[in-house]
Amino acid sequence: MGSKYAVFTSYLLLRLVEEIERWLDQRDQAEQMLEELRGIVESSPVGIASLRGSRVVHSNRRFERMLQVPAGEALGADIRRLLRAGTGEAADTAYDEDGPIGAALADGGLHETEIEVRGDDGQAHWHALSIRRIGPPGEAPQAIAVLSEITRLKTQQVELEHLALERER
């Protein structure tokens, strides 16, 4: 009886070791994929932030630079406060709890707009902002915010409008 017990115990231990090795391999693969994804996000030409509720839980450095936020200060910040500070539009209701951003986060929709941010150089920098809720509804909805540089397009738009006005005269 003792040898059957020893064989069974050895078998269980071998299976446990195999499961642990498989789990460790999967964890290593997941960590490698996570590092690759971090590299992709950090090297992206757009600003990207992950939100939980209205709080930034992760952002790439490009997102912070586009909003004129010092490195690391976006983490934990309220996205509406960051947008207000970046645009200098303290009274803008778009960033209120019940404004379009809050509504998009609450009902799973999409909020898209264009924002102007004054750079350290005093120049206007234009960005397309898109905030989309991801995941299931809940008290602290998850969302992704993406900022894309559109200054050149806005400059061309102003120039075309100016030319059109001159042509009408």
Side-chain angles (χ1 to χ4, degrees):
M1 176 92 174
S3 69
K4 285 184 180 180
Y5 178 74
V7 169
F8 182 70
T9 302
S10 298
Y11 171 77
L12 285 178
L13 287 174
L14 284 173
R15 294 292 302 162
L16 181 61
V17 167
E18 288 173 358
E19 284 299 313
I20 290 171
E21 287 174 344
R22 185 171 41 246
W23 178 80
L24 290 173
D25 286 343
Q26 289 172 345
R27 189 187 72 182
D28 289 345
Q29 289 173 355
E31 286 176 359
Q32 182 180 356
M33 284 180 59
L34 184 59
E35 281 304 310
E36 290 172 7
L37 288 173
R38 277 191 186 123
I40 291 168
V41 168
E42 288 302 321
S43 63
S44 175
V46 298
I48 303 170
S50 175
L51 310 173
R52 187 153 296 118
S54 59
R55 298 274 171 207
V56 175
V57 293
H58 180 80
S59 69
N60 64 356
R61 184 61 191 120
R62 179 88 171 140
F63 181 84
E64 293 174 318
R65 282 194 302 266
M66 291 173 106
L67 291 177
Q68 301 296 308
V69 176
E73 285 192 19
L75 185 62
D78 187 303
I79 185 71
R80 296 164 304 193
R81 183 187 62 76
L82 290 175
L83 294 172
R84 274 192 189 108
T87 62
E89 298 175 7
D92 191 339
T93 58
Y95 309 126
D96 290 345
E97 187 83 27
D98 58 350
I101 292 174
L105 291 175
D107 66 15
L110 169 69
H111 174 71
E112 293 182 313
T113 190
E114 295 175 351
I115 62 171
E116 179 184 11
V117 178
R118 290 281 167 191
D120 292 335
D121 57 4
Q123 297 294 315
H125 299 274
W126 283 90
H127 307 293
L129 169 67
S130 174
I131 299 178
R132 178 182 298 275
R133 182 175 176 159
I134 57 172
E139 287 185 28
Q142 296 177 357
I144 298 294
V146 177
L147 285 171
S148 303
E149 176 71 42
I150 59 168
T151 302
R152 185 179 304 144
L153 291 173
K154 290 299 273 188
T155 302
Q156 291 171 347
Q157 180 183 13
V158 168
E159 289 172 359
L160 287 173
E161 289 171 359
H162 181 70
L163 288 172
L165 285 174
E166 284 183 3
R167 183 174 262 180
E168 289 177 3
R169 293 182 194 168

